[in-house]
């Protein structure tokens, strides 16, 4: 009888930070970002500016990318592989209607980090993995004001993925310091957050500290 595939031990869960949908003052936000990234272990920053034109997106990348990359934080652009390649981002995050992994790979090169939103579907996630995605994202696990959501996966999807597939998974959607630990324990390799940091009443640095402390309790 053939042995089942062995899934290697995964590194500890880390934080994946997403910008607000709108950044009216880039200089002020860059200062907040510096404080946030200096407050804890952040693996990646996704620049997600819904509704912004190309010039605004490129301007945001130009200001925020050096802040993140100088701290060893990967910069991922949401939706637009063409702009990600043009602006020198480390990767792109694709929704289900944002083009294929192969097209993004052609534009960005073999070393780019390509992630795919897979909602509550292991089938979509397997398709993305087979197409060459570097990570898949499941969610929204909780209600969120950041974007409209109709999918509400059970955390068990993270556990099953963790136990059977090598490619990392990201948990996203309404996650707070109170629930980040649960997502990490369920099997998330990365916990993606936005409002939990930028809307923290004590400031973005405090938001990152609380989330990192919550994740660290699962190690």
């Amino acid at each position: 009888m053939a042995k089942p595939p062995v899934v290697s031990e995964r590194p500890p869960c880390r934080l994946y930070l997403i910008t607000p949908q709108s950044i009216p003052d880039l200089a002020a936000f860059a200062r907040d970002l510096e404080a946030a990234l200096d407050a804890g272990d952040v693996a990646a920053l996704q620049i997600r500016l819904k509704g912004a034109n190309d010039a605004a997106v490129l301007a945001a990348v130009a200001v925020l990318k050096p802040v993140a990359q100088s701290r060893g934080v990967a910069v991922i652009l949401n939706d637009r592989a063409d702009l990600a390649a043009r602006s020198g981002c480390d990767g792109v995050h694709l929704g289900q209607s944002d083009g294929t992994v192969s097209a993004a790979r052609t534009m960005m090169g073999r070393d780019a980090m390509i992630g795919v939103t897979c909602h509550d579907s292991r089938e979509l996630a397997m398709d993305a993995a087979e197409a060459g995605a570097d990570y898949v994202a499941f969610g929204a696990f909780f209600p969120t004001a950041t974007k409209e959501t109709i999918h509400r996966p059970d955390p068990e999807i993270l556990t099953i993925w963790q136990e059977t597939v090598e490619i990392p998974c990201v948990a996203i959607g309404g996650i707070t310091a109170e629930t980040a630990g649960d997502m990490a324990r369920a099997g998330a390799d990365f916990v993606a957050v936005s409002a939990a940091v930028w809307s923290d009443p004590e400031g973005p640095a405090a938001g990152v500290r609380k989330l990192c402390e919550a994740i660290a309790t699962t190690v």
Side-chain angles (χ1 to χ4, degrees):
M1 179 182 292
K3 293 183 179 179
V6 176
V7 177
S8 60
E9 185 175 344
R10 299 166 106 108
C13 180
R14 300 180 69 192
L15 200 60
Y16 181 128
L17 190 54
I18 302 175
T19 69
Q21 295 188 71
S22 175
I23 304 177
D25 187 335
L26 267 176
F29 182 76
R31 292 190 291 272
D32 285 342
L33 179 62
E34 288 177 346
L37 297 184
D38 289 341
D41 177 36
V42 179
L45 172 72
Q46 183 186 131
I47 298 176
R48 183 179 184 275
L49 301 177
K50 286 294 185 181
N53 60 35
D54 291 6
V57 171
L58 291 171
V61 172
V63 172
L64 304 180
K65 184 179 69 168
V67 174
Q69 289 182 338
S70 67
R71 290 163 171 80
V73 177
V75 177
I76 310 296
L77 187 61
N78 189 60
D79 294 349
R80 297 287 300 275
D82 57 335
L83 294 185
R86 179 176 164 187
S87 58
C89 288
D90 298 298
V92 65
H93 183 87
L94 303 174
Q96 286 295 314
S97 60
D98 295 327
T100 66
V101 172
S102 60
R105 184 71 67 198
T106 297
M107 280 184 268
M108 297 199 65
R110 65 181 183 180
D111 294 329
M113 186 181 301
I114 299 176
V116 179
T117 292
C118 299
H119 304 304
D120 58 354
S121 172
R122 278 188 288 147
E123 289 74 18
L124 289 177
M126 289 301 299
D127 288 346
E130 290 172 3
D134 296 287
Y135 71 85
V136 298
F138 296 112
F141 285 94
F142 304 96
T144 173
T146 303
K147 62 184 292 188
E148 286 188 28
T149 60
I150 58 174
H151 305 280
R152 190 75 76 236
D154 189 286
E156 184 185 28
I157 197 170
L158 301 169
T159 307
I160 295 171
W161 189 264
Q162 172 86 233
E163 293 173 346
T164 57
V165 185
E166 291 278 1
I167 292 173
C169 62
V170 176
I172 190 170
I175 298 170
T176 65
E178 287 69 39
T179 55
D182 293 335
M183 296 294 98
R185 275 185 289 272
D189 296 286
F190 300 93
V191 172
V193 295
S194 184
V197 168
W198 309 120
S199 298
D200 188 286
E202 298 176 59
V208 167
R209 282 195 297 271
K210 294 171 189 175
L211 286 154
C212 287
E213 287 169 5
I215 293 171
T217 62
T218 67
V219 177

